[in-house]
Amino acid sequence: MYLNILKRDLKRKKTMNVILLIFVILSAMFMASSVNNILAVTSGLDSFFEKADMADYYVLALDNDGKEIKESLDEADCVTDYRREEILVTTGKNIEVNGKRLNDLSKAALFMSVENTELNYYSPDNELITEVKPGTAYVSGPFGKDNNLEIGDKFTLIIGEKEREFEYLGRMKDALLGSDFMGNPRVVMNEEDYEYLCSDEDAKYYKGGVYYIDTTDVATVEAVISDQKGILFPGDDSLIRTTYIMSMIVAALLLIVGIFLIIISFVVLKYTIGFTISEEFREIGVMKAIGMKNSSIRALYLAKYFAITLVGSLIGFVASMPFSDLMLKSVSASMYIESENSIFVAALCSVAVIVITLLFSWSSTRKIKKLSAIDAVRNGQTGERFKKKSLMKLSKSKLGSNAFLAVNDITSSKKKYSIVTVIFAMLMLLIMILANTANTLNSDKLLFLLGCTESDAYITLSDETRRAVNPEVDSQQAIANIVSDVEEKLKENDMPGTVHVEAMYNTTVICDGKKTGVMFQHCPDTKASDYTYSEGVAPENENEIALSYLIAEKLEVGVGDTVALLVDGKETDCIVTALFQTFNQLGSVCRLHEDFDVSKLELSSLFGFQVDFDDELSKTEVEERIEQLKEIFDTKQVFNGSDFVKDCTGAADTIRSVKNLVLLITLIIVVLIAVLMERSFISAEKSEIALMKAIGFSNKSIIWHHTLRFAIVAFIASAIAAILCMPLTKLAMDPVMGVMGAVGGVGYEIVPFEIFLLYPAIVVVVTIIAAFFTSIYTNTIKSSDASNIE
């Protein structure tokens, strides 16, 4: 009996059942794939680090033979073991693709021999790299993607007068430098090719090492390393793991989308069940009249939704496999993930969707208990109503007939239309939150998190920076020369201006007898008061410093405390006057006063050279000059403030891609909801529509009346989403910003046109189109149907 009733019901309500099936498929697919991805990334990262034989602490240094660093590590009791890979630390000018030097490469590139590897590196096929043929090379990071290189393409490496062409073997999986966040290309080649490049006299200026240090006390190792020369990058295991944060964020965002879809599916399911029960009052009354129990009738409905959920979950389970692979494609390109797709996890999620849906369905059929056999006689009505159905009166309304009927319908059935409003608002909020985040990561609002002042232009000069950080040169004089050269070029090209640059210095900080290495930011051409601080006041004297929250927590100090900086073997007491948040080194950078003597500190790196033009220019004129500067310095690495933030964070494009995916899914759901609800309304209002036709309403008028209802609901949902988008953006994204170093949250960039006009307009237009074409179905209803309840 159940099977026959089920077949008839599925045939009778094809549209509603198909839409409900689609929601179940999407829910199961997103839940299975996103949970799978999160498990793959989190557990896969641990497995990847273990297989790669990672250490506790890492150092990248320009140290030639590394004799001094090795001696210091040998003397440190806390160091149980260390390994060193010999490398050449180069820039984009040492790499040529398609006959053009990569002057646009903003990060250092590393050349090394496969014979010198101390880490386990893997090929794109997850094979351990133990041999590289002459004339071929693997490259880690997004190098291939950024330069449109396919496996088999050619590129050239150049050191001084020596150059050699290589065949690109694909993206190497490098646990230390392979994440998109790090972005430093590491080229692994044959020993013969490496020795050939090193045979040039200039190679001695590029010689360096990567150290993998096993230790029982990371803080002591930081102190030991901070005393050394030529340190380009120091970091512990937790810092390196954090560089894979964007992969985790994408997986988490997709999981949130999956949860939203499940919530929406349940809301739709509850409405569908409620509508079905209200429509089938006669059948339910008859079943009760012949003696069927409530539980039996509820089980009958449950059989239908079990069938839909079972089929939907199976399809969603199968679809989650390729979808999960698609979402993991960028992650698996940089990580060795043993089990990219767990069938067991996907199956478990699909079963969970079935169980939760059935429990929800059983709960939603409680309304059956209230119906009795007499309801079949009364046509499902009790005839009792003790309050007004609507606050509106036709006699006092200035609206047209269609507008009045649309508004009156919404105010008369608040519960019914509020379901659609909530769903549309939730979907728009998802898009708005992601758009706000992407816009913020591409906004000059975050310049303060990079420890930079506002300037007209920012120029990344990688080759000049590499020469300045060489421990064998006077770094202060080198910086002054670069700044002078840039200012001279500006003057020669009729765009005079001043130039300054933020420098990073690694030194030892002593607090309560403990030593630790800390990176400090310093610029002699600006004032400490030009920067943003969250607590305290800006350093006003050379013996005053500001600490990031992460370093302050690590040192267990606060505003007013005193720490000692070890400079040239001597301790210099400094007072902590302020705390601030920063993206630099994922929150691990502090600031020195501009008068602090940094001549005896080791220069670690330089930021973009900041240009402030002497004359006042409009935004358009500044952009025109930026384009000129790109030609003058032969590099695309010339930015305005917002583009400089985007380049430094490297996260805006990822968030924007996820937002575009969510926007597409949202529009699909909007269409499904509009079609489902409109078909439900038409079915429930069949007699009313017939009566309207009987008294003279045209088909066109009825169609626009039905369409206008959804337009009003979509507009209200847009207003609600616009009001809630800011607080919910902070709630959802502040933890993500905190991981990147902005522990106190940020002020999000709102693009009014995009948030308050573009996305709402897209949703409203799509809703109107879907509702309009669905409401054409009212043409099948005739005026004679007014008295027919079948």
Side-chain angles (χ1 to χ4, degrees):
M1 179 184 73
Y2 278 11
L3 186 60
N4 289 331
I5 294 174
L6 176 62
K7 287 181 179 178
R8 292 180 62 186
D9 189 79
L10 290 175
K11 289 180 180 179
R12 188 161 58 95
K13 298 180 179 178
K14 289 180 183 178
T15 303
M16 293 180 66
N17 291 332
V18 167
I19 290 175
L20 191 58
L21 176 66
I22 292 173
F23 271 108
V24 174
I25 292 172
L26 290 173
S27 300
M29 183 181 75
F30 267 87
M31 180 61 78
S33 60
S34 54
V35 170
N36 220 343
N37 288 5
I38 285 180
L39 291 176
V41 174
T42 53
S43 62
L45 191 59
D46 291 333
S47 175
F48 181 35
F49 274 40
E50 183 179 346
K51 286 185 174 296
D53 195 20
M54 292 284 274
D56 300 314
Y57 198 79
Y58 313 92
V59 176
L60 171 60
L62 194 63
D63 61 354
N64 204 348
D65 59 3
K67 181 179 178 181
E68 293 182 3
I69 294 179
K70 287 189 284 188
E71 287 179 353
S72 298
L73 293 176
D74 287 333
E75 294 174 0
D77 295 333
C78 64
V79 175
T80 57
D81 187 30
Y82 70 88
R83 295 160 283 156
R84 180 182 184 271
E85 292 175 333
E86 181 183 303
I87 57 171
L88 295 178
V89 183
T90 67
T91 67
K93 289 187 177 181
N94 299 99
I95 305 175
E96 190 176 276
V97 177
N98 297 325
K100 186 178 180 181
R101 299 285 182 102
L102 300 185
N103 297 336
D104 303 327
L105 187 65
S106 60
K107 298 183 179 181
L110 315 180
F111 301 167
M112 63 179 293
S113 163
V114 68
E115 300 293 330
N116 293 332
T117 58
E118 293 293 342
L119 207 63
N120 292 329
Y121 303 100
Y122 293 88
S123 70
D125 298 325
N126 289 338
E127 296 292 331
L128 180 64
I129 298 173
T130 57
E131 181 183 4
V132 179
K133 294 180 181 179
T136 65
Y138 288 98
V139 187
S140 68
F143 174 82
K145 179 182 68 176
D146 292 345
N147 294 284
N148 299 315
L149 284 177
E150 300 290 340
I151 294 177
D153 289 347
K154 305 290 185 179
F155 66 96
T156 304
L157 302 183
I158 304 156
I159 299 293
E161 299 297 323
K162 305 291 184 180
E163 63 178 71
R164 180 152 292 185
E165 187 178 62
F166 292 87
E167 178 185 338
Y168 179 60
L169 297 179
R171 179 170 179 169
M172 179 179 70
K173 299 183 180 183
D174 175 0
L176 180 64
L177 300 173
S179 69
D180 288 349
F181 199 93
M182 292 290 280
N184 296 92
R186 187 201 301 249
V187 184
V188 174
M189 66 192 77
N190 182 269
E191 174 70 15
E192 177 187 332
D193 294 328
Y194 179 74
E195 289 298 332
Y196 173 76
L197 293 175
C198 289
S199 64
D200 192 273
E201 290 185 1
D202 288 351
K204 61 184 178 181
Y205 301 114
Y206 297 89
K207 281 283 182 74
V210 181
Y211 294 83
Y212 305 94
I213 305 168
D214 294 315
T215 178
T216 56
D217 188 350
V218 170
T220 301
V221 173
E222 287 179 338
V224 170
I225 293 301
S226 64
D227 290 336
Q228 303 302 313
K229 295 182 178 181
I231 303 300
L232 301 178
F233 170 78
D236 59 12
D237 184 69
S238 62
L239 178 66
I240 302 302
R241 288 175 182 274
T242 308
T243 63
Y244 290 87
I245 184 63
M246 290 313 301
S247 299
M248 299 179 190
I249 289 173
V250 171
L253 288 174
L254 290 175
L255 179 60
I256 292 171
V257 173
I259 292 172
F260 265 70
L261 280 173
I262 289 176
I263 293 173
I264 292 170
S265 297
F266 287 163
V267 173
V268 171
L269 181 62
K270 183 176 179 62
Y271 171 79
T272 304
I273 293 173
F275 170 77
T276 303
I277 292 172
S278 299
E279 189 184 39
E280 298 178 351
F281 61 88
R282 173 170 289 184
E283 289 86 343
I284 295 171
V286 171
M287 283 189 283
K288 287 197 174 185
I290 63 175
M292 289 185 68
K293 296 180 180 179
N294 285 323
S295 58
S296 299
I297 300 172
R298 294 173 75 181
L300 183 64
Y301 281 91
L302 204 64
K304 166 189 172 181
Y305 296 112
F306 172 73
I308 293 175
T309 306
L310 179 63
V311 173
S313 295
L314 286 174
I315 296 174
F317 166 73
V318 174
S320 71
M321 297 293 118
F323 185 70
S324 182
D325 284 339
L326 179 64
M327 293 299 102
L328 270 178
K329 187 175 181 181
S330 61
V331 180
S332 59
S334 60
M335 289 172 53
Y336 183 144
I337 300 178
E338 284 187 311
S339 178
E340 296 183 5
N341 247 323
S342 172
I343 295 178
F344 173 76
V345 172
L348 193 64
C349 290
S350 298
V351 170
V353 170
I354 293 174
V355 172
I356 296 172
T357 303
L358 290 180
L359 291 174
F360 192 81
S361 299
W362 180 261
S363 173
S364 299
T365 56
R366 285 178 298 181
K367 189 177 180 181
I368 290 174
K369 295 180 180 180
K370 299 179 181 180
L371 297 176
S372 63
I374 198 67
D375 288 312
V377 179
R378 293 175 173 171
N379 291 341
Q381 302 294 325
T382 62
E384 297 177 338
R385 191 173 79 205
F386 302 102
K387 59 182 179 180
K388 291 182 179 180
K389 198 173 182 182
S390 173
L391 299 174
M392 298 184 66
K393 290 184 179 182
L394 181 59
S395 60
K396 296 182 178 180
S397 175
K398 296 181 180 180
L399 298 173
S401 58
N402 286 333
F404 174 83
L405 288 171
V407 176
N408 186 64
D409 285 348
I410 294 171
T411 56
S412 299
S413 304
K414 300 180 186 69
K415 185 175 181 181
K416 183 166 62 175
Y417 286 96
S418 64
I419 292 172
V420 187
T421 305
V422 169
I423 292 174
F424 284 3
M426 289 173 62
L427 292 170
M428 277 189 275
L429 276 170
L430 260 179
I431 302 170
M432 289 176 176
I433 288 171
L434 293 173
N436 288 340
T437 305
N439 291 333
T440 302
L441 291 171
N442 191 22
S443 163
D444 57 8
K445 271 190 174 184
L446 298 188
L447 276 173
F448 78 96
L449 288 171
L450 300 176
C452 293
T453 55
E454 291 188 17
S455 293
D456 294 319
Y458 302 78
I459 308 174
T460 301
L461 301 173
S462 303
D463 200 50
E464 288 80 353
T465 297
R466 188 197 62 78
R467 290 198 295 267
V469 299
N470 191 325
E472 297 182 5
V473 305
D474 183 342
S475 60
Q476 300 307 303
Q477 186 59 49
I479 294 174
N481 291 340
I482 298 171
V483 168
S484 178
D485 289 344
V486 174
E487 289 181 340
E488 186 62 29
K489 284 188 177 181
L490 292 174
K491 188 176 180 180
E492 291 173 358
N493 289 275
D494 297 324
M495 50 178 85
T498 57
V499 178
H500 67 275
V501 64
E502 297 287 340
M504 304 276 277
Y505 299 91
N506 190 36
T507 190
T508 302
V509 174
I510 303 172
C511 182
D512 294 332
K514 295 181 180 179
K515 294 182 178 181
T516 187
V518 175
M519 195 73 73
F520 280 91
Q521 205 163 338
H522 176 266
C523 180
D525 301 315
T526 59
K527 295 181 179 180
S529 57
D530 295 337
Y531 303 87
T532 302
Y533 306 93
S534 303
E535 294 183 33
V537 295
E540 297 178 355
N541 300 294
E542 59 181 303
N543 66 333
E544 296 178 350
I545 60 175
L547 303 182
S548 71
Y549 280 104
L550 193 62
I551 295 299
E553 182 181 353
K554 189 175 183 179
L555 296 174
E556 297 182 350
V557 298
V559 174
D561 292 332
T562 300
V563 298
L565 272 60
L566 194 61
V567 180
D568 196 27
K570 298 179 181 179
E571 294 185 18
T572 301
D573 288 337
C574 292
I575 301 171
V576 179
T577 65
L579 301 178
F580 64 97
Q581 51 186 359
T582 177
F583 276 167
N584 295 331
Q585 299 284 317
L586 294 172
S588 299
V589 170
C590 304
R591 174 163 292 280
L592 296 168
H593 187 267
E594 62 270 17
D595 292 335
F596 191 94
D597 183 9
V598 295
S599 60
K600 296 179 181 179
L601 295 179
E602 184 69 26
L603 178 66
S604 178
S605 63
L606 296 174
F607 270 35
F609 288 83
Q610 299 180 224
V611 178
D612 294 293
F613 298 116
D614 290 344
D615 42 353
E616 292 188 8
L617 303 170
S618 66
K619 190 174 181 180
T620 303
E621 290 172 326
V622 170
E623 292 300 323
E624 290 174 354
R625 287 196 174 184
I626 287 176
E627 293 303 316
Q628 293 179 44
L629 290 174
K630 289 179 181 179
E631 295 182 6
I632 294 169
F633 291 96
D634 190 23
T635 178
K636 292 182 180 179
Q637 298 291 312
V638 184
F639 311 101
N640 57 28
S642 58
D643 288 339
F644 184 64
V645 171
K646 179 182 176 180
D647 182 69
C648 290
T649 58
D653 288 340
T654 302
I655 300 295
R656 200 175 295 280
S657 298
V658 175
K659 179 208 68 179
N660 292 335
L661 173 64
V662 172
L663 177 59
L664 177 62
I665 295 169
T666 294
L667 296 180
I668 293 172
I669 295 174
V670 165
V671 171
L672 292 175
I673 292 291
V675 173
L676 173 66
M677 293 300 189
E678 176 57 16
R679 283 300 301 268
S680 301
F681 295 162
I682 292 173
S683 180
E685 299 167 4
K686 185 176 181 180
S687 59
E688 287 90 337
I689 295 170
L691 180 60
M692 290 175 68
K693 289 190 176 184
I695 62 176
F697 279 85
S698 65
N699 285 330
K700 182 179 178 181
S701 179
I702 293 173
I703 289 171
W704 281 113
H705 157 221
H706 279 241
T707 303
L708 190 56
R709 294 188 300 192
F710 280 89
I712 294 171
V713 166
F715 180 80
I716 294 172
S718 300
I720 294 172
I723 293 170
L724 296 177
C725 75
M726 270 312 298
L728 290 183
T729 298
K730 289 189 69 65
L731 182 65
M733 301 311 300
D734 272 2
V736 175
M737 295 294 181
V739 172
M740 296 174 68
V743 295
V746 301
Y748 290 90
E749 175 75 6
I750 302 293
V751 180
F753 170 76
E754 190 176 354
I755 300 301
F756 302 124
L757 184 61
L758 179 61
Y759 296 129
I762 291 174
V763 172
V764 170
V765 169
V766 170
T767 302
I768 290 173
I769 293 172
F772 174 80
F773 283 102
T774 307
S775 62
I776 293 176
Y777 184 73
T778 57
N779 291 342
T780 63
I781 299 175
K782 301 176 183 178
S783 58
S784 59
D785 293 326
S787 59
N788 184 9
I789 64 169
E790 292 296 337

